[in-house]
């Protein structure tokens, strides 16, 4: 393993999902999306910044490759819809939202790197609701680590990774990071 970059996982973190495993998981998820959504022309993959957007783009490329249909990949910013906005010492910069011109009749597949409490996904659904009313919303995540605080479940999961509540999961992806993989920090903060 290459030594971590400043944005990489801490040295004591354990690699649990390497680059090849991520690619296999995304290909499997793309096939599942194709099987469950026969009208792919009505599907848009919408990522939660930042790595959720990369996942949406990769899934869209795999779907195009496998099914020959170009599905839109976009982004939805959740920063102003979070329920912990007053608790956070630092707020993330607002990211551009890129959605289809109309959400009516669309199947929106939200994508995110890690599903934890469910609060980010709730914020993403609130943000989407401010732009329109899609026919349905599905959820695709690379890692589901449990510990839900809201009744939210992923439709497509790359890997279930049981963790202790205080453990950290580090997802790094090419396009934003030098390294690619998923690491679990065994130390508990």
């Amino acid at each position: 393993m290459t030594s971590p970059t400043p944005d990489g996982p801490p040295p004591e973190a354990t690699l649990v999902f390497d680059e090849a495993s991520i690619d296999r998981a995304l290909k499997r998820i793309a096939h599942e999306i194709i099987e469950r959504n026969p009208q792919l022309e009505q599907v848009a993959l919408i990522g939660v910044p930042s790595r959720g957007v990369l996942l949406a783009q990769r899934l869209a490329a795999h779907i195009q490759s496998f099914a020959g249909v170009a599905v839109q990949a976009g982004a939805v910013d959740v920063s102003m819809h979070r329920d912990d906005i007053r608790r956070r010492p630092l707020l993330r910069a607002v990211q551009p939202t890129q959605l289809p011109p109309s959400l009516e009749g669309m199947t929106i597949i939200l994508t995110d790197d890690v599903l934890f409490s469910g609060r980010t996904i709730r914020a993403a659904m609130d943000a989407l609701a401010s732009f329109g009313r899609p026919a349905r919303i599905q959820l695709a995540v690379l890692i589901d680590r449990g510990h839900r605080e809201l009744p939210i479940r992923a439709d497509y999961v790359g890997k279930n990774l049981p963790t202790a509540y205080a453990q950290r999961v580090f997802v790094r992806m090419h396009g934003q990071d030098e390294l690619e993989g998923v690491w679990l920090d065994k130390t508990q903060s």
Side-chain angles (χ1 to χ4, degrees), residues 11 15 18-19 33 45 47 51 63 71 77 97 104 108 111 114 119 125 130-131 145 159 161 168 185-187:
L15 180 67
D18 63 14
E19 185 174 347
I33 289 170
L45 295 153
R51 291 174 186 87
I63 291 169
V71 295
D77 183 72
T97 291
E104 300 297 319
I108 301 297
T111 61
V114 177
R119 293 184 180 274
M125 289 190 292
S130 67
F131 289 97
R145 62 173 290 193
K159 182 175 184 64
L161 183 62
R168 295 200 51 206
D185 188 355
K186 298 282 186 185
T187 60

Side-chain angles (χ1 to χ4, degrees), residues 9 40 72 87-88 106 119 150 155 162 164 167:
L40 287 172
Q72 181 173 339
R87 292 180 171 183
R88 290 179 168 249
M106 297 287 296
R119 293 184 180 274
L150 300 173
D155 300 283
Q167 284 179 302

Side-chain angles (χ1 to χ4, degrees), residues 122-145:
R122 192 238 5 112
M125 289 190 292
D126 285 353
L128 281 175
S130 67
F131 289 97
R133 186 177 186 270
R136 73 190 56 61
I137 298 174
Q138 298 173 354
L139 176 59
V141 297
L142 182 61
I143 302 294
D144 184 345
R145 62 173 290 193

Side-chain angles (χ1 to χ4, degrees), residues 15 17 21 30 42 48 54-55 62 99 101 131 140 148-149 175:
L15 180 67
F17 216 37
S21 299
Q42 295 298 313
V48 176
L54 294 172
L55 290 170
H62 285 314
L99 297 173
F131 289 97
R148 225 62 91 240
E149 295 172 4

Side-chain angles (χ1 to χ4, degrees), residues 4-170:
T5 59
D7 67 337
E12 64 276 3
T14 303
L15 180 67
V16 294
F17 216 37
D18 63 14
E19 185 174 347
S21 299
I22 290 173
D23 189 53
R24 278 191 305 275
L26 294 179
K27 287 178 179 174
R28 178 179 42 78
I29 290 171
H31 281 294
E32 290 173 9
I33 289 170
I34 292 166
E35 289 171 11
R36 290 185 54 190
N37 297 283
Q39 294 182 308
L40 287 172
E41 303 79 16
Q42 295 298 313
V43 171
L45 295 153
I46 305 300
V48 176
S50 59
R51 291 174 186 87
V53 176
L54 294 172
L55 290 170
Q57 293 166 350
R58 288 192 193 178
L59 287 168
H62 285 314
I63 291 169
Q64 168 106 37
S65 172
F66 301 146
V69 177
V71 295
Q72 181 173 339
V76 63
D77 183 72
V78 301
S79 33
M80 301 313 290
H81 294 273
R82 295 192 58 96
D83 62 3
D84 62 353
I85 199 164
R86 288 189 171 94
R87 292 180 171 183
R88 290 179 168 249
L90 293 173
L91 297 177
R92 282 190 173 173
V94 174
Q95 302 292 315
T97 291
Q98 301 166 326
L99 297 173
S102 172
L103 300 182
E104 300 297 319
M106 297 287 296
T107 295
I108 301 297
I109 302 175
L110 286 172
T111 61
D112 204 2
D113 56 352
V114 177
L115 178 57
F116 183 38
S117 68
R119 293 184 180 274
T120 299
I121 299 306
R122 192 238 5 112
M125 289 190 292
D126 285 353
L128 281 175
S130 67
F131 289 97
R133 186 177 186 270
R136 73 190 56 61
I137 298 174
Q138 298 173 354
L139 176 59
V141 297
L142 182 61
I143 302 294
D144 184 345
R145 62 173 290 193
H147 304 288
R148 225 62 91 240
E149 295 172 4
L150 300 173
I152 291 176
R153 177 188 57 83
D155 300 283
Y156 312 100
V157 178
K159 182 175 184 64
N160 286 295
L161 183 62
T163 63
Y165 188 84
Q167 284 179 302
R168 295 200 51 206
V169 174
F170 296 89

